[in-house]
Amino acid sequence: MSVHPDAAPQRAQHDPEDTLKQLGSSWHWALGVALATLIPGILVLVWPDETLHILAVIIGLQLLVAGGFRFVAAFSHSNDAGGSRLASVLIAVLAFLAGVLVLRHPMQTIGALSLIVGVFWLITGVLTAYVAIADRLLVHRGLLFGLGALGTVAGIVVLCFPVDSAVALTRLLGLWLVLLGVFEVVMALVMRSATRRVTAPR
């Protein structure tokens, strides 16, 4: 039985890792990450008088959806030099865990919800800044570092300025989600611009 010489390359083209890499490195996927943060933030701000239960459900779902987007985006790193891909996967795993914790006990206290979200934003902010420094192949390292710094500040604010009402917590989390989402939208547009420059005919 003969094997066609192009068979191996064809199989390699359909490798799941290559598919995830292509998907995760597209600006459309980056825009999806941004919308997964921005839309819940807007919803939270639009309904500031909703119960803590509703807030926890929205935040929990946001973390789960963002975790899925970030897991795929982690494969956009061409290699794992400096552990950038590992750090990105860890961010996705932390998002899943935080989302499950929030949704598992949606009637939890204000302090518990603030602690989970604050710790998540703080850790992922630091990891995001690390990825921006470690991965020299990124074309938007400055913006990614800025996003990491913003996430770190968000986590510190939520942890260091405890709120005593669901309305205050809703406004605080909603504001930070919108700020983070807008920053991620800008990153997606920068990626689109960079992609068009690379693919433009010369």
Side-chain angles (χ1 to χ4, degrees):
M1 179 178 177
S2 62
V3 179
H4 195 278
D6 293 332
Q10 289 176 356
R11 285 198 299 269
Q13 291 176 358
H14 297 286
D15 185 88
E17 182 177 349
D18 292 336
T19 302
L20 290 176
K21 179 180 177 180
Q22 181 178 6
L23 182 61
S25 59
S26 69
W27 73 268
H28 298 89
W29 196 257
L31 183 61
V33 176
L35 294 179
T37 303
L38 181 60
I39 292 177
I42 294 175
L43 291 176
V44 168
L45 289 179
V46 169
W47 296 307
D49 297 324
E50 291 298 330
T51 64
L52 182 62
H53 172 81
I54 299 298
L55 174 61
V57 170
I58 294 177
I59 296 298
L61 291 177
Q62 186 273 328
L63 288 169
L64 290 178
V65 173
F69 273 107
R70 290 183 180 279
F71 178 79
V72 175
F75 289 86
S76 64
H77 302 285
S78 58
N79 54 58
D80 199 29
S84 56
R85 180 181 293 183
L86 178 60
S88 297
V89 171
L90 182 57
I91 291 174
V93 172
L94 288 174
F96 279 122
L97 291 177
V100 170
L101 285 176
V102 172
L103 290 176
R104 184 176 177 84
H105 303 290
M107 295 300 293
Q108 58 199 297
T109 64
I110 295 173
L113 182 57
S114 300
L115 179 63
I116 294 173
V117 176
V119 169
F120 169 74
W121 281 348
L122 178 60
I123 296 177
T124 56
V126 173
L127 289 175
T128 300
Y130 169 78
V131 170
I133 296 173
D135 194 341
R136 298 182 178 180
L137 298 179
L138 290 176
V139 295
H140 52 283
R141 295 174 69 195
L143 281 174
L144 187 62
F145 182 84
L147 179 61
L150 184 61
T152 302
V153 172
I156 293 174
V157 170
V158 173
L159 290 174
C160 295
F161 296 93
V163 292
D164 55 1
S165 71
V167 174
L169 178 62
T170 298
R171 290 172 177 168
L172 180 62
L173 296 185
L175 176 62
W176 278 113
L177 283 173
V178 168
L179 289 176
L180 292 169
V182 168
F183 208 103
E184 290 172 345
V185 168
V186 172
M187 284 186 57
L189 295 179
V190 170
M191 290 179 62
R192 182 185 67 171
S193 177
T195 300
R196 288 182 174 180
R197 286 198 301 267
V198 171
T199 58
R202 298 180 180 179

